[in-house]
Amino acid sequence: MANRTDPAAKSIRGTNPQNLVEKILRSKIYQNTYWKEQCFGLTAETLVDKAMELDHLGGTHGGNRKPTPFMCLVMKMLQIQPEKEIVIEFIKNDDYKYVRILGAFYLRLTGTDVDVYRYLEPLYNDYRKLRQKLPEGKFSLTHVDEVIDELLTKDYSCDIALPRIKKRWTLETLGSLEPRRSVLEDDFEEEEEKEENDQLDGLEEEAHEKDYYRGRSPARERDRDRRRDRDRYRERDYDRDYDRDYDRERGRGRDRDRDRERDRDRDRDRDRDRDRDRYRLRDEKDYGRDRERDREWEGRERERRDRDRGRRRSHSRSRSRSKDRKDREGGEHRKRHARSSTSPRRRDGAEENGTREEPKKKKERKEKKEDGTDHPDPEIAEANRLRASLGLKPLK
Amino acid sequence: MIEVVLNDRLGKKVRVKCNEDDTIGDLKKLVAAQTGTRSDKIRIQKWYNVYKDHITLKDYEIHDGMGLELYYN
């Protein structure tokens, strides 16, 4: 009897509101002592008192998946179904951040798409810290705006599958919402103008790295910000330049000079070591970087070749060109695999040291080892591909 | 490389190829990829021993062809 939904409650998304939480988790909550003791006979008012006592959020934790009090209160709200005004009050209140998050979570589960965006987006400006309980049982630090971002972008949070809502741009095109204005927009515009000026002075590299660091320094590293910064910056200027140069690169006209300059100063050490390791996994647009690196290597190889003045000059050039092509094609595919971006690099290193036959053999052998996805047995190759996508090493 | 069989006694029987030095967490990810459930919803047991995520298969002495029980959280 205590677990029945309020008979006056409306059905949410076509079902009993409590069914938004799936069966196993629901049973776990009903068996929980917090639910049985504290959540019995709660009304909207007394619920607020309980919510004010919250001190962490989270889903289930531990070996037997014990739900947190936060989960129990969400369940209680689904059961009694408070009115929209009450939920909005929860969200608007400034004093108790956990009450805010509770209201936001409930609205995300039960509200309409427009409501969700309208009431949750202002919470992006709330930077307060929150304590989150991880599934292992430990606590971790998170922030209000991070949680809101998770609610708005991901479809799973706190062990509950969040109902699907329309994407923001769909609602914008429908006219139900206005385009998003971020509070930080003015700051961004200033920074962009400053960097445009820097770029015109020919300090492309530095500006690009500054862009990257800027994305990391304010408050905390957020993939969202970094990606947005980089995309915005890149799309405007960077890609355009690269595309233009890339096409011309076949003739190797003016790039050689630019390569040499860049090679000598910073990129050899900085880019290669730091960038490769750090940005390898996170870069979505690795393409630009791979190409840049390849061109660096070609520049260096060219230098060495010229120095040696061997008869192999023409051969190596054709070799590097074909290899470059393979890298370019493979690069697109390989950029999705965690470890693969090291293989073109190592292949280059091996080749430059040995004779022509040895590097060929080493290259083939290394290809087999690195990826694991070119295993002769197709089943194993597929298994390795899956493992690579999950971030695991290939099968032995 | 070993192959482990996971059975949930409700119709889902899954054979998974993995390394011996993979952890249970990795095994859960592989199972999740094959069955379609989420990896954190899966619980792997042997009788009443719930297997923990951070321990490798080798340490649990899980050999090739061994059967494990698949439960859900």
Side-chain angles (χ1 to χ4, degrees):
Chain A
M1 301 306 118
N3 294 335
R4 245 181 341 127
T5 316
D6 182 8
K10 289 181 283 147
S11 73
I12 303 275
R13 301 183 197 267
T15 174
N16 182 349
Q18 289 196 80
N19 288 352
L20 282 172
V21 178
E22 51 173 31
K23 185 79 173 62
I24 297 178
L25 179 56
R26 222 185 311 148
S27 338
K28 289 253 159 69
I29 292 181
Y30 292 155
Q31 290 158 9
N32 190 4
T33 38
Y34 184 82
W35 172 267
K36 288 181 185 168
E37 289 171 8
Q38 319 284 354
C39 297
F40 184 79
L42 277 188
T43 62
E45 295 87 32
T46 43
L47 185 95
V48 184
D49 301 329
K50 286 276 176 251
M52 293 198 303
E53 288 167 20
L54 276 178
D55 68 342
H56 64 274
L57 71 138
T60 54
H61 62 91
N64 53 349
R65 295 282 145 203
K66 186 158 173 272
T68 56
F70 181 79
M71 284 273 87
C72 298
L73 287 179
V74 172
M75 194 63 172
K76 197 69 195 177
M77 284 182 83
L78 285 170
Q79 195 180 36
I80 60 178
Q81 205 174 71
E83 276 145 46
K84 193 168 151 196
E85 290 84 36
I86 301 182
V87 181
I88 302 213
E89 274 312 308
F90 272 32
I91 296 178
K92 285 209 178 124
N93 112 94
D94 212 20
D95 307 319
Y96 296 96
K97 44 195 180 180
Y98 290 103
V99 177
R100 208 173 216 190
I101 289 285
L102 185 68
F105 200 86
Y106 179 78
L107 187 67
R108 174 65 175 88
L109 289 178
T110 59
T112 60
D113 302 356
V114 180
D115 281 343
V116 166
Y117 282 111
R118 198 186 300 149
Y119 292 112
L120 259 51
E121 273 181 359
L123 294 184
Y124 267 132
N125 302 328
D126 191 345
Y127 298 127
R128 288 180 288 187
K129 295 187 195 164
L130 290 174
R131 198 183 293 145
Q132 184 178 38
K133 193 142 194 169
L134 297 171
E136 293 91 43
K138 300 192 188 101
F139 285 106
S140 85
L141 178 68
T142 179
H143 300 80
V144 175
D145 54 346
E146 284 176 26
V147 177
I148 300 292
D149 187 44
E150 221 183 79
L151 289 181
L152 285 179
T153 50
K154 305 230 176 74
D155 54 328
Y156 195 80
S157 173
C158 287
D159 279 351
I160 292 184
L162 305 173
R164 300 270 163 93
I165 51 173
K166 296 195 190 72
K167 295 236 188 281
R168 202 173 202 293
W169 59 265
T170 316
L171 292 171
E172 282 171 26
T173 49
L174 284 177
S176 336
L177 274 184
E178 281 147 21
R180 173 140 182 264
R181 295 216 78 229
S182 159
V183 176
L184 298 174
E185 222 168 65
D186 300 326
D187 295 343
F188 274 153
E189 279 167 11
E190 271 176 38
E191 290 272 355
E192 277 176 14
E193 278 172 20
K194 205 181 2 149
E195 280 172 19
E196 251 185 65
N197 296 336
D198 286 344
Q199 196 204 351
L200 289 176
D201 294 343
L203 294 173
E204 247 183 38
E205 278 312 298
E206 262 186 11
H208 178 64
E209 288 189 348
K210 206 201 309 173
D211 193 31
Y212 193 90
Y213 285 116
R214 193 228 313 163
R216 290 176 61 193
S217 51
R220 24 197 147 66
E221 267 178 273
R222 283 295 108 207
D223 283 347
R224 167 169 53 102
D225 280 347
R226 215 187 301 135
R227 226 181 294 131
R228 217 195 297 149
D229 286 355
R230 207 185 324 121
D231 285 355
R232 205 186 291 185
Y233 186 90
R234 275 187 185 245
E235 273 153 22
R236 267 187 313 115
D237 305 300
Y238 214 45
D239 268 356
R240 221 190 316 135
D241 288 347
Y242 265 106
D243 284 339
R244 224 188 309 133
D245 292 336
Y246 183 65
D247 290 338
R248 235 177 277 151
E249 198 218 48
R250 296 301 185 94
R252 308 244 164 97
R254 45 150 97 170
D255 267 3
R256 203 180 295 181
D257 297 332
R258 225 198 311 153
D259 270 351
R260 293 239 181 83
E261 265 181 18
R262 258 193 263 132
D263 284 350
R264 249 164 241 145
D265 289 347
R266 335 174 194 99
D267 301 332
R268 192 178 312 160
D269 296 323
R270 232 204 283 161
D271 269 25
R272 197 194 334 152
D273 294 338
R274 219 198 291 145
D275 287 11
R276 181 193 3 134
D277 295 329
R278 208 185 284 158
Y279 308 154
R280 193 201 322 154
L281 292 173
R282 297 199 208 118
D283 264 1
E284 279 183 283
K285 293 202 177 180
D286 238 354
Y287 201 26
R289 279 188 197 273
D290 275 348
R291 270 186 284 166
E292 171 197 300
R293 243 185 277 133
D294 286 340
R295 259 187 281 135
E296 266 178 54
W297 275 102
E298 279 163 23
R300 224 167 293 145
E301 207 194 318
R302 240 178 284 124
E303 283 174 32
R304 217 167 295 184
R305 223 191 310 123
D306 290 342
R307 243 182 282 138
D308 288 345
R309 292 174 161 278
R311 44 197 146 82
R312 297 194 220 128
R313 195 196 305 174
S314 54
H315 290 289
S316 335
R317 192 188 294 160
S318 65
R319 158 88 49 74
S320 76
R321 207 183 282 161
S322 63
K323 187 169 26 78
D324 183 36
R325 219 177 283 132
K326 204 196 287 181
D327 281 349
R328 261 185 250 132
E329 287 164 8
E332 265 297 333
H333 165 71
R334 294 224 187 101
K335 78 176 177 211
R336 293 194 199 99
H337 298 288
R339 77 194 74 66
S340 56
S341 40
T342 59
S343 41
R345 188 154 297 278
R346 252 187 257 168
R347 245 187 285 140
D348 285 347
E351 184 182 72
E352 283 173 1
N353 291 335
T355 61
R356 225 178 310 136
E357 286 103 48
E358 265 190 58
K360 232 180 196 165
K361 275 194 212 145
K362 274 192 189 165
K363 196 202 325 178
E364 284 170 13
R365 228 179 289 142
K366 281 228 155 77
E367 259 185 48
K368 278 200 187 133
K369 272 188 216 162
E370 288 296 334
D371 260 328
T373 55
D374 348 20
H375 203 275
D377 185 357
E379 261 187 47
I380 297 188
E382 200 187 306
N384 280 333
R385 221 175 297 135
L386 172 66
R387 289 177 70 97
S389 71
L390 290 173
L392 301 172
K393 293 205 194 106
L395 290 172
K396 294 186 198 146
Chain B
M1 179 182 80
I2 60 176
E3 194 172 27
V4 184
V5 185
L6 289 105
N7 190 356
D8 77 341
R9 300 201 176 267
L10 292 171
K12 222 173 264 187
K13 194 163 177 180
V14 151
R15 298 176 77 88
V16 176
K17 281 195 180 50
C18 49
N19 287 330
E20 273 191 331
D21 56 357
D22 280 343
T23 62
I24 294 281
D26 299 339
L27 180 62
K28 284 187 186 177
K29 283 188 205 164
L30 291 167
V31 172
Q34 259 184 282
T35 59
T37 40
R38 295 184 64 94
S39 59
D40 46 355
K41 295 266 174 220
I42 289 176
R43 198 168 75 214
I44 298 181
Q45 279 181 225
K46 187 104 184 132
W47 197 229
Y48 281 122
N49 301 317
V50 179
Y51 282 175
K52 293 196 166 52
D53 282 358
H54 55 278
I55 301 183
T56 61
L57 297 182
K58 192 157 165 229
D59 291 338
Y60 270 131
E61 297 193 9
I62 295 175
H63 304 299
D64 191 21
M66 200 152 146
L68 297 174
E69 290 154 37
L70 189 61
Y71 288 94
Y72 300 99
N73 277 323

